[in-house]
Amino acid sequence: MPELPDVETFKRYIDSTSLNKKIVDVKVDTTKILENITKKKFKNFLIDKKFVETYRHGKYLFIKNNNSKWLVLHFGMTGFVKYFKDLEKKPDHTRLLIKFENDYYLSFNNQRLFGKIELTDDKDKYIKDKKLGVDALDLDYSTFKKLIDYRKAMIKSTLTNQNIIAGIGNIYSDEILFHTGIDPKTKTAKIRIKKLKTMFENIKKILKISIEAKANPNNFPKNFIIPHRKKEGKCPKCNEKLKTVKVNGRTTYFCPIHQKKK
DNA sequence: CTAGATGTTAAGGT
DNA sequence: CACCTTAACATCTA
């Protein structure tokens, strides 16, 4: 589920496994997700270098090389990274395989090929060019209010719009709206100020708790809706059967008792 | 067999 | 012009 908490978890994973080790080999399995660069050039930029630093903005992960290039990873709907020694443990759909001098590998996996692998000299320019909004964890309340309080779109659509706030996707927006008690189809501008403030606090709280849980729903608090996002799912607060509705062409789960239009 | 699954974006509309 | 919506992308699974 590569939204902000997942990507932050990947970032920390890479920090603890893959920094400051010389890269001795690079394999790219598909050119489909390699943007604006040939396989050969891409390899040349990584081989004999080391990763020295990571940075996350929204759902994008940046990994800095000691030649001052940033490797940019985007996970699409199905991506993850894995560090391992035994090649038999290489996950299916490995699109990028990096071998370090200690004979360990770091793989970037992406079943559905909606992910992206890129290089950039300037991560801030990259973020600007992509028109990404402020990272959800860097947001303060007055910016949040200014960014959204006039918008006509449905609140779920506003929350998941990466050009406004970066990092919140289909899954975590459901969690935020559930705890705030708002119907996902509510027009953003109609939300009362008190609810806006609660929503802002919930964004922070939920993302932080989820990161602490390593974005694994099995570790989530009992009152989270995410583990119940499935057919026949029940509200963790009142046991009411959850409803689904399409917003932005994506399935949205909500509790008809706890989430209202105002 | 068909529908649907965590994301982004081009193209169209208001 | 700023904003909003929808369809399409590739692959696997229920």
Side-chain angles (χ1 to χ4, degrees):
Chain A
M1 299 189 283
E3 299 180 29
L4 188 152
D6 312 86
V7 180
E8 179 64 25
T9 302
F10 298 151
K11 175 190 188 297
R12 295 179 183 190
Y13 181 76
I14 286 175
D15 285 345
S16 69
T17 58
S18 304
L19 299 189
N20 304 310
K21 291 167 180 150
K22 194 162 116 180
I23 296 168
V24 296
D25 197 15
V26 176
K27 283 201 173 69
V28 183
D29 222 39
T30 173
T31 45
K32 177 85 178 46
I33 56 178
L34 190 61
E35 294 274 297
N36 306 319
I37 188 168
T38 62
K39 269 190 201 185
K40 199 173 170 187
K41 273 194 170 172
F42 178 79
K43 285 183 188 180
N44 286 339
F45 279 118
L46 292 185
I47 286 190
D48 290 336
K49 307 297 186 309
K50 296 175 178 182
F51 294 136
V52 294
E53 184 185 340
T54 60
Y55 184 84
R56 182 194 55 72
H57 187 101
K59 305 172 190 173
Y60 288 79
L61 182 57
F62 300 84
I63 309 174
K64 194 180 186 183
N65 236 334
N66 62 344
N67 66 355
S68 292
K69 289 260 176 203
W70 291 88
L71 169 64
V72 187
L73 297 181
H74 190 282
F75 297 84
M77 297 228 265
T78 54
F80 62 95
V81 286
K82 188 175 177 188
Y83 182 77
F84 56 92
K85 185 164 193 178
D86 186 350
L87 266 186
E88 283 179 6
K89 290 188 181 145
K90 179 165 76 86
D92 289 342
H93 315 293
T94 291
R95 308 302 183 183
L96 172 62
L97 186 64
I98 290 168
K99 187 179 186 185
F100 296 108
E101 59 188 336
N102 65 353
D103 290 333
Y104 273 78
Y105 296 88
L106 179 69
S107 67
F108 171 79
N109 310 277
N110 200 249
Q111 181 201 92
R112 280 164 68 191
L113 298 178
F114 286 170
K116 291 274 178 289
I117 303 173
E118 265 186 274
L119 288 176
T120 183
D121 293 321
D122 184 341
K123 73 172 167 49
D124 297 322
K125 183 174 181 301
Y126 182 96
I127 290 164
K128 208 172 165 188
D129 290 348
K130 286 270 178 195
K131 299 192 180 1
L132 292 176
V134 51
D135 184 81
L137 287 181
D138 290 337
L139 200 57
D140 62 73
Y141 180 64
S142 71
T143 310
F144 174 70
K145 186 171 177 304
K146 216 176 296 171
L147 280 172
I148 79 164
D149 72 357
Y150 63 95
R151 292 186 185 263
K152 296 193 190 79
M154 294 177 278
I155 181 59
K156 164 124 174 176
S157 180
T158 304
L159 278 182
T160 55
N161 184 337
Q162 302 301 299
N163 301 318
I164 305 171
I165 299 168
I168 301 168
N170 195 36
I171 298 283
Y172 285 92
S173 61
D174 278 6
E175 194 67 57
I176 291 160
L177 294 173
F178 173 63
H179 290 280
T180 311
I182 295 182
D183 183 301
K185 285 195 150 181
T186 310
K187 297 262 185 290
T188 304
K190 296 224 159 148
I191 297 172
R192 297 202 178 118
I193 188 110
K194 206 176 157 191
K195 285 260 175 177
L196 265 194
K197 179 83 174 155
T198 310
M199 180 157 52
F200 170 77
E201 283 161 4
N202 282 333
I203 289 173
K204 299 281 184 173
K205 212 185 293 177
I206 287 163
L207 294 178
K208 280 181 191 159
I209 290 173
S210 304
I211 290 167
E212 279 165 28
K214 297 191 193 309
N216 179 351
N218 294 328
N219 303 332
F220 286 176
K222 289 275 180 288
N223 64 350
F224 268 39
I225 197 177
I226 289 174
H228 306 276
R229 286 180 92 269
K230 56 194 167 197
K231 254 201 161 132
E232 306 301 317
K234 304 267 175 61
C235 172
K237 291 182 186 172
C238 70
N239 216 35
E240 176 80 10
K241 188 171 182 296
L242 297 176
K243 288 199 166 177
T244 59
V245 67
K246 288 272 181 193
V247 179
N248 282 343
R250 327 227 65 98
T251 303
T252 301
Y253 284 78
F254 70 104
C255 171
I257 305 291
H258 287 102
Q259 295 174 257
K260 304 287 186 193
K261 282 256 162 79
K262 285 207 173 173

